[in-house]
Amino acid sequence: MSDTNLLEKLKTIVEPYVQNKEAFSTISEETDFINDLKINSANLIDVALDVEDEFDIMIENDDMDKMLTVKSSLEVIEQKLAEK
Amino acid sequence: MSAQEIISKLPYSDPFLFVDELSSISENEITGSYLFKRNMPFYDGHFKGNPITPGVILTECMAQIGVVCLGIFLMGDKLGENPKIAMTSTDIHFLNPVLPDEKVIVTSTKEYFRFGKLKCHVTMTNEEGEEVCNGFISGMIFQ
């Protein structure tokens, strides 16, 4: 799966939980879920669970701790997909 | 963990404890009840001359039985001395009023418990078996 394809899928997953729609319109790898998109920590867990369903992967506690930005989330997803 | 142990671990007390009994508890489902007593202070103002249990109080009752009690059971031995808990979202629909001196029965089914977040589908019924309210409640525990 190409990087842009992954990013598009992640954007679709994240969108329902975004409080700051303006920051979402300019989303990039550097975007921080909590500080930029204003997603609360409880909904961050829903993002992780939706990522699990979409990519058929298992997110562990360590992965969850990392998934705070677009970039680190894509890294976790790519790593999990490579391990499959 | 017994029902009495779970209730003793709840971080609430009068006048904000809305759990009387827990009748069944499992990994996936919990059922409990609470009696809304006529002398509770909010009835004086909600509404003037027409006491009806506020929806926020019904929601709190559903959260205490359906999410916090179930969460304490699911945490088991892993529960620390002074855990910090927070309600993180609610999506509740109200169908019937609860009047003073009415007993309600709350049943909650676990949707998931992951990364410290417990999401449940919760239903409240009255003693006639009529549905009072239902919906989803989520909460988190920070150890």
Side-chain angles (χ1 to χ4, degrees):
Chain A
M1 210 181 300
S2 73
D3 279 3
T4 38
N5 209 336
L6 266 187
L7 177 62
E8 283 309 311
K9 285 194 171 181
L10 184 62
K11 277 172 70 177
T12 308
I13 289 168
V14 164
E15 190 171 10
Y17 307 109
V18 171
Q19 298 292 323
N20 185 344
K21 301 288 178 195
E22 203 180 317
F24 183 72
S25 67
T26 59
I27 194 168
S28 73
E29 286 213 341
E30 306 311 315
T31 302
D32 185 291
F33 290 144
I34 293 173
N35 294 317
D36 297 325
L37 301 181
K38 309 293 180 199
I39 297 176
N40 74 26
S41 54
N43 281 337
L44 218 49
I45 292 167
D46 290 301
V47 169
L49 300 184
D50 292 350
V51 162
E52 285 189 336
D53 290 344
E54 173 65 32
F55 299 100
D56 191 24
I57 55 177
M58 187 79 181
I59 308 282
E60 308 292 344
N61 283 331
D62 293 351
D63 308 318
M64 187 68 228
D65 294 339
K66 286 184 217 152
M67 290 179 65
L68 297 170
T69 66
V70 170
K71 188 165 191 262
S72 57
S73 301
L74 290 175
E75 283 168 4
V76 167
I77 296 166
E78 277 167 354
Q79 186 202 334
K80 295 278 167 186
L81 287 175
E83 286 168 6
K84 268 177 54 163
Chain B
M1 201 184 300
S2 73
Q4 215 44 52
E5 268 179 276
I6 293 172
I7 291 174
S8 73
K9 287 176 192 287
L10 283 170
Y12 315 99
S13 68
D14 183 64
F16 219 75
L17 170 67
F18 300 108
V19 185
D20 284 335
E21 287 173 343
L22 300 173
S23 54
S24 76
I25 314 150
S26 72
E27 287 284 316
N28 290 307
E29 198 173 275
I30 190 163
T31 301
S33 63
Y34 184 72
L35 171 69
F36 285 98
K37 291 159 276 303
R38 180 167 295 275
N39 62 1
M40 297 181 101
F42 46 75
Y43 286 126
D44 289 338
H46 189 282
F47 300 98
K48 287 191 278 185
N50 179 27
I52 293 175
T53 315
V56 286
I57 299 292
L58 299 180
T59 303
E60 180 65 26
C61 177
M62 292 210 290
Q64 289 190 8
I65 294 174
V67 183
V68 183
C69 288
L70 182 56
I72 288 170
F73 176 76
L74 292 174
M75 288 295 290
D77 295 340
K78 294 196 294 292
L79 191 72
E81 270 299 297
N82 287 302
K84 292 190 175 64
I85 59 165
M87 182 142 76
T88 58
S89 68
T90 62
D91 179 14
I92 308 293
H93 295 265
F94 299 92
L95 302 116
N96 279 300
V98 174
L99 303 178
D101 290 334
E102 265 200 73
K103 181 181 168 180
V104 295
I105 297 101
V106 173
T107 299
S108 170
T109 312
K110 180 179 75 180
E111 295 277 307
Y112 63 76
F113 183 38
R114 296 281 307 275
F115 309 113
K117 176 176 176 176
L118 176 59
K119 180 177 181 179
C120 297
H121 183 262
V122 190
T123 302
M124 177 183 280
T125 56
N126 60 26
E127 281 197 288
E128 281 75 52
E130 296 168 322
E131 206 157 72
V132 168
C133 48
N134 66 62
F136 292 95
I137 304 179
S138 300
M140 283 189 77
I141 182 157
F142 309 91
Q143 292 269 50

